Amino acid sequence: KRLKKVAMEKARAEAVERAEMLRKEKEAREIEEAGQREEVERKERERKEMIGKQREEEESIRRLEKQAEKKRLLDEENRKNEEQEHTKHGQLAELEQRIKECEVEAAQHEETMQRCKKELKDLPRGSKDRLVKMKAINQAQQKRGEAMKATEAAKEELESCLRSK
């Protein structure tokens, strides 16, 4: 009986020991699994952080590209404005030159008309040359009038260019 009792206690002790060992193994597995889960979660967090950083970088690049595009458009607009300004200065100079030329032309035709009038006075009354001189005076008056109209038109165009500036 005593042997039986000792054997039973021994078996019970072994069973408790085995149960304790199984419990410890189970705890170790759980700790290992928890560690693995933590590792997986940490890697997932790192992956998400990398994706977030990548998105931030892409957004930053997009913002920089938009800024560069805006700057390019602004530079292009400034260049066009400068070209227009340069063109306007050229137009203004051209108009001023045209006004001077028209005034000179009008003055030349005025001189021609005055000279022809003087020559007409010097010609005798029934001379055939009188008709030619009268025609020359008429033509000079017409050309002078055209030159004066051209001068006025150029002055108006110059004023409209200056007003639009």
Side-chain angles (χ1 to χ4, degrees):
K1 275 187 177 181
R2 196 167 174 248
L3 280 175
K4 208 176 188 186
K5 194 177 185 186
V6 170
M8 288 280 261
E9 281 181 23
K10 199 174 185 185
R12 204 176 306 144
E14 285 177 5
V16 167
E17 214 175 283
R18 256 184 283 142
E20 184 65 25
M21 201 145 95
L22 288 173
R23 187 185 60 75
K24 284 182 181 178
E25 284 178 8
K26 185 178 177 185
E27 283 179 4
R29 272 195 312 273
E30 287 175 354
I31 290 172
E32 188 178 319
E33 287 174 359
Q36 287 176 350
R37 269 195 309 272
E38 287 176 8
E39 182 69 18
V40 167
E41 289 172 358
R42 185 184 60 77
K43 285 183 179 179
E44 184 65 21
R45 276 194 309 274
E46 288 176 358
R47 188 182 69 75
K48 286 180 180 177
E49 286 175 6
M50 289 297 290
I51 289 172
K53 286 179 183 178
Q54 192 175 16
R55 285 185 182 149
E56 287 176 11
E57 288 176 7
E58 289 171 355
E59 186 62 32
S60 175
I61 289 171
R62 277 194 289 277
R63 277 194 305 270
L64 289 174
E65 287 173 347
K66 283 181 182 178
Q67 287 175 349
E69 181 66 16
K70 283 180 182 178
K71 186 181 182 319
R72 186 190 64 75
L73 291 173
L74 187 62
D75 288 346
E76 188 175 315
E77 189 174 326
N78 287 339
R79 184 184 52 76
K80 284 180 182 177
N81 288 341
E82 286 175 7
E83 285 177 5
Q84 287 176 346
E85 205 54 37
H86 181 69
T87 302
K88 271 196 176 179
H89 287 301
Q91 284 177 334
L92 295 177
E94 186 181 309
L95 287 170
E96 289 171 350
Q97 182 65 32
R98 193 172 359 144
I99 290 171
K100 287 178 186 175
E101 289 172 357
C102 290
E103 287 173 346
V104 167
E105 188 179 336
Q108 287 174 345
H109 290 302
E110 177 72 26
E111 286 176 23
T112 303
M113 187 178 72
Q114 294 301 328
R115 187 175 37 80
C116 287
K117 279 186 178 181
K118 188 177 181 186
E119 289 174 4
L120 182 64
K121 284 183 183 178
D122 293 343
L123 288 175
R125 272 201 123 166
S127 171
K128 292 180 179 178
D129 290 336
R130 280 182 74 86
L131 184 60
V132 172
K133 286 296 171 190
M134 288 171 88
K135 283 183 179 179
I137 291 170
N138 244 359
Q139 193 174 18
Q141 279 179 330
Q142 282 180 333
K143 297 242 183 203
R144 180 178 152 256
E146 290 170 5
M148 290 177 81
K149 283 180 186 176
T151 302
E152 286 304 310
K155 283 181 180 179
E156 287 176 14
E157 195 174 335
L158 179 66
E159 284 177 20
S160 85
C161 278
L162 290 173
R163 271 185 264 140
S164 70
K165 211 174 184 184

